[in-house]
Amino acid sequence: MIYKKKIAIILFLLFIPFIIFPYLQGSQYKIAQQYADADQIPVVFFDPEDGSALGYLIYSDIDGEPGDEIIIAYRSKKSDSEREEKASIYKQYFSVDVVRNGKKIRGFIEAGLTYSRTPQPYITVEKIIPSELPKIFLMIYDGIEEKKVRAADRRFLILYNGFDENDKKRKNHQFLSVKMPWRFILFQFSETPTINLFETKIEESTGRFYIKTLDENAEWPKIPMSKIRQFEEDLRKYQPHIYWEFGH
């Protein structure tokens, strides 16, 4: 009898994720719908490292005030007539909205997409600089690419925004990189805020990365080569063909 109870407990624990995850997804979708505008459709965001679905919402304190904000991803389709009227190449717009103190800020981050299918966005919240507030980062394929580029080598838009005063002063909030895990893109080499951007040619088994400062006029940080080589070593465990190009 005791043995059967143990088996029942083990089976229950094994199946908890399959029971709870759909419930959470359902409740998250309802919250996302609650804050959606009439033209908006909630979108699930994913982990760029393993491709797993992470849900419709992120709860995080990004303004430094008590209580978490709600971060929600939406897409809104554009009709042919709307596109013709504005001479736009974008078939839909992707928006990262923030619910702060019960009010929604639409388009906290926004990107135009040239395709009409449901996008697969990658979103994270990271505090990359100890002295600044956390930032929201979005990585998404916008459909614009050079000819003869393999899917594995597609360049993705990386956009970010935050409530920190320094973010408001920064001019460039948009970058291009092939899809990589956030731990490599947002790895910080010094106190000067940077972002790591990647290019690959999978067919030729080559790739490279650049270290770029978030502040356009910032002096190049003094990064020991030993730190860059250690980063390369960790990076090659994930993709063995990528090397450091330069920083700017």
Side-chain angles (χ1 to χ4, degrees):
M1 187 68 177
I2 294 173
Y3 176 76
K4 287 182 178 179
K5 284 183 178 179
K6 286 183 178 179
I7 293 294
I9 291 169
I10 291 169
L11 288 173
F12 176 74
L13 292 174
L14 286 173
F15 281 96
I16 278 179
F18 298 97
I19 298 167
I20 293 178
F21 186 71
Y23 170 77
L24 289 176
Q25 289 295 89
S27 61
Q28 284 192 359
Y29 184 77
K30 286 178 181 177
I31 294 170
Q33 274 192 317
Q34 174 189 335
Y35 287 105
D37 293 331
D39 63 329
Q40 289 185 313
I41 304 169
V43 179
V44 172
F45 49 88
F46 297 82
D47 183 333
E49 184 155 6
D50 60 17
S52 60
L54 300 178
Y56 290 95
L57 310 175
I58 294 176
Y59 290 90
S60 183
D61 177 11
I62 59 173
D63 67 354
E65 300 295 331
D68 287 348
E69 283 66 55
I70 309 175
I71 299 158
I72 315 174
Y74 296 103
R75 66 186 181 115
S76 54
K77 293 183 178 180
K78 299 299 174 185
S79 66
D80 291 339
S81 59
E82 285 178 301
R83 290 172 57 216
E84 287 175 12
E85 184 180 338
K86 296 180 180 180
S88 174
I89 63 170
Y90 300 120
K91 295 184 178 180
Q92 59 179 328
Y93 281 86
F94 181 85
S95 179
V96 179
D97 296 358
V98 175
V99 179
R100 185 187 191 196
N101 299 324
K103 296 180 180 179
K104 190 180 77 163
I105 304 170
R106 178 167 177 164
F108 196 70
I109 301 177
E110 190 173 61
L113 310 179
T114 62
Y115 52 89
S116 56
R117 66 182 182 276
T118 301
Q120 185 165 311
Y122 306 95
I123 302 173
T124 189
V125 176
E126 299 287 345
K127 187 179 177 67
I128 62 171
I129 310 164
S131 60
E132 294 187 14
L133 292 170
K135 309 177 195 307
I136 304 172
F137 290 87
L138 163 69
M139 180 163 49
I140 193 167
Y141 177 58
D142 63 0
I144 301 172
E145 63 183 27
E146 297 176 10
K147 293 180 180 179
K148 298 181 181 179
V149 174
R150 293 169 64 88
D153 299 324
R154 282 176 176 167
R155 304 286 288 279
F156 281 60
L157 271 178
I158 296 177
L159 304 104
Y160 81 93
N161 201 4
F163 286 108
D164 199 279
E165 288 300 318
N166 288 316
D167 289 325
K168 295 175 184 177
K169 298 173 189 174
R170 293 179 177 122
K171 295 179 181 178
N172 190 11
H173 285 220
Q174 179 174 308
F175 306 91
L176 284 172
S177 173
V178 295
K179 180 166 66 71
M180 291 290 289
W182 288 118
R183 59 192 175 97
F184 294 126
I185 291 172
L186 300 179
F187 181 85
Q188 299 299 299
F189 291 92
S190 71
E191 293 181 1
T192 300
T194 55
I195 188 167
N196 306 309
L197 307 175
F198 296 81
E199 294 178 6
T200 61
K201 292 184 180 178
I202 298 297
E203 197 169 38
E204 299 174 16
S205 297
T206 64
R208 57 187 178 180
F209 73 93
Y210 310 86
I211 304 170
K212 186 173 180 63
T213 58
L214 291 190
D215 298 301
E216 291 182 354
N217 299 321
E219 290 186 13
W220 175 244
K222 294 178 181 179
I223 303 172
M225 280 305 300
S226 59
K227 199 165 186 179
I228 292 176
R229 296 308 177 204
Q230 181 59 57
F231 180 75
E232 280 185 314
E233 188 177 324
D234 295 339
L235 181 61
R236 288 192 182 122
K237 292 174 184 176
Y238 181 76
Q239 283 197 16
H241 56 275
I242 296 180
Y243 63 91
W244 176 57
E245 179 74 358
F246 57 80
H248 58 94

